[in-house]
């Protein structure tokens, strides 16, 4: 089960990398924290994480 979960996470990481490399990027929801400075940008997708958490929790509950 742990190996399967690891493979799922690797696939999700690959999909995220693919969308970032394609220029489309992950959509930013209102409430995501973006701090732009002189030497770089800090992006913390707090609302996106909450949405993903709710979706995964509902999916796990339905599959259970």
């Amino acid at each position: 089960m742990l190996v399967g979960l690891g493979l799922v996470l690797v696939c999700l990481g690959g999909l995220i990398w693919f969308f970032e490399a394609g220029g489309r990027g992950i959509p930013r929801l209102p409430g995501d924290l973006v701090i732009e400075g002189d030497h770089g940008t800090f992006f913390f997708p707090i609302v996106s994480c909450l949405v993903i958490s709710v979706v995964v929790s509902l999916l796990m509950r339905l599959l259970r």
Side-chain angles (χ1 to χ4, degrees), residues 26-52:
I26 298 171
R28 293 186 175 150
L29 297 175
D32 288 345
L33 181 62
V34 179
I35 300 173
E36 295 180 5
D38 294 335
H39 300 289
T41 302
F42 176 74
F43 173 62
F44 185 69
I46 191 162
V47 175
S48 298
C49 290
L50 290 173
V51 169
I52 291 170

Side-chain angles (χ1 to χ4, degrees), residues 6-22:
L7 290 173
V8 168
L9 289 175
V10 167
C11 290
L12 286 175
L15 285 173
I16 290 172
W17 177 79
F18 174 75
F19 284 119
E20 285 292 326

